Amino acid sequence: MSRSTDLSPTKYEYEYDENALQDVFILRPNGKIAYLPYAFYTDPSRVIESVPVAGEAQRFFLNEHGAYPFNLAGPAVSKVIDWNLVDEQGTYKRHPQDSTLTPATGYFVDLRRFSLDRQAMIFVCDEANYEDDQPISELIQFAADYQLVPVDKQDQLKAIPKDDNLYLVYFQYPNKTRSINQCYSYSVSYISVAELDACEFSQEQPSTKRTEEEIKTAAQHLETYYGDTKIQAGALHPMDFQSSPLPVICVTCYVANLRTFSS
């Protein structure tokens, strides 16, 4: 599989644009912080599920009847269990972009839920209206259908994933406005624990383009307001953080704290 691992400034140079507003910080169980630029986690080689407005859906968690696993359908951050990774025949699913890769248990982070809160912040401000997103009409009838975890598999819900492999869910048009009672095009990217290791938030990560002191200050801000408080998820906007050190690193972003599952 051809996969982009390049985080060089030339490819991910930070600008105040719609894509850069979708960057993600992950507070990992190992005590480190990963920083995922939008262009990194949306790389087509990482996409395992894609449900567009037009065209054929690429399914991984979503079944052929439009039902989603119940343990993944509600929370902003949840655990991907072994049962989520096998098909109806009990065979482990392969990565659609690389048949040699078998996605493993980890965490499911749904940025679609974060974005609704973040958009509410944006539209309080005097900014231009965004265009409306186009709903996926054929999925509306299945919007309330879920696959319940079988009784004999429910013990898996109690287990802590061995590694923090990441399943990142995002709208395909993240900055368009949406209704809460419609389905919209989305994708799910799989980011392995090894890739998270390579995305450690540090001066060595070229995409940050900041000094060691700036990174240290922003990391401490995340630890204080998410790590220490055990807040699981949040969406930040610069106009709410005029005196905060965090916009030194990013204009606005999402934060997911995976440590709450093991604490």
Side-chain angles (χ1 to χ4, degrees), residues 95-115:
H95 197 298
Q97 314 301 338
D98 182 358
S99 60
T100 66
L101 180 60
T102 304
T105 57
Y107 297 92
F108 188 89
V109 177
D110 195 340
L111 299 183
R112 296 172 300 179
R113 300 190 180 280
F114 295 35
S115 66

Side-chain angles (χ1 to χ4, degrees), residues 143-185:
D145 288 351
Y146 300 109
Q147 306 170 61
L148 295 178
V149 179
V151 174
D152 64 338
K153 305 296 183 184
Q154 289 178 1
D155 279 349
Q156 295 180 12
L157 295 169
K158 303 175 185 178
I160 302 300
K162 178 182 177 181
D163 295 308
D164 55 339
N165 300 295
L166 188 65
Y167 296 81
L168 207 57
V169 193
Y170 55 93
F171 283 122
Q172 292 180 358
Y173 303 102
N175 283 313
K176 290 189 175 183
T177 58
R178 287 167 285 274
S179 166
I180 62 173
N181 60 352
Q182 300 279 11
C183 297
Y184 297 91
S185 57

Side-chain angles (χ1 to χ4, degrees), residues 115-221:
S115 66
L116 294 177
D117 290 339
R118 217 269 305 282
Q119 282 185 329
M121 296 180 189
I122 290 174
F123 293 120
V124 168
C125 309
D126 295 328
E127 296 194 15
N129 291 329
Y130 289 0
E131 295 180 358
D132 291 334
D133 203 351
Q134 181 180 353
I136 307 174
S137 57
E138 63 267 25
L139 289 182
I140 298 303
Q141 59 183 311
F142 301 121
D145 288 351
Y146 300 109
Q147 306 170 61
L148 295 178
V149 179
V151 174
D152 64 338
K153 305 296 183 184
Q154 289 178 1
D155 279 349
Q156 295 180 12
L157 295 169
K158 303 175 185 178
I160 302 300
K162 178 182 177 181
D163 295 308
D164 55 339
N165 300 295
L166 188 65
Y167 296 81
L168 207 57
V169 193
Y170 55 93
F171 283 122
Q172 292 180 358
Y173 303 102
N175 283 313
K176 290 189 175 183
T177 58
R178 287 167 285 274
S179 166
I180 62 173
N181 60 352
Q182 300 279 11
C183 297
Y184 297 91
S185 57
Y186 73 90
S187 295
V188 182
S189 287
Y190 177 67
I191 301 168
S192 69
V193 63
E195 291 179 301
L196 281 182
D197 289 341
C199 292
E200 182 177 352
F201 184 46
S202 66
Q203 192 176 9
E204 285 69 36
Q205 187 184 25
S207 56
T208 60
K209 298 170 56 182
R210 302 296 177 180
T211 68
E212 183 177 355
E213 183 60 30
E214 288 171 336
I215 291 173
K216 180 180 177 181
T217 301
Q220 184 58 55
H221 180 93

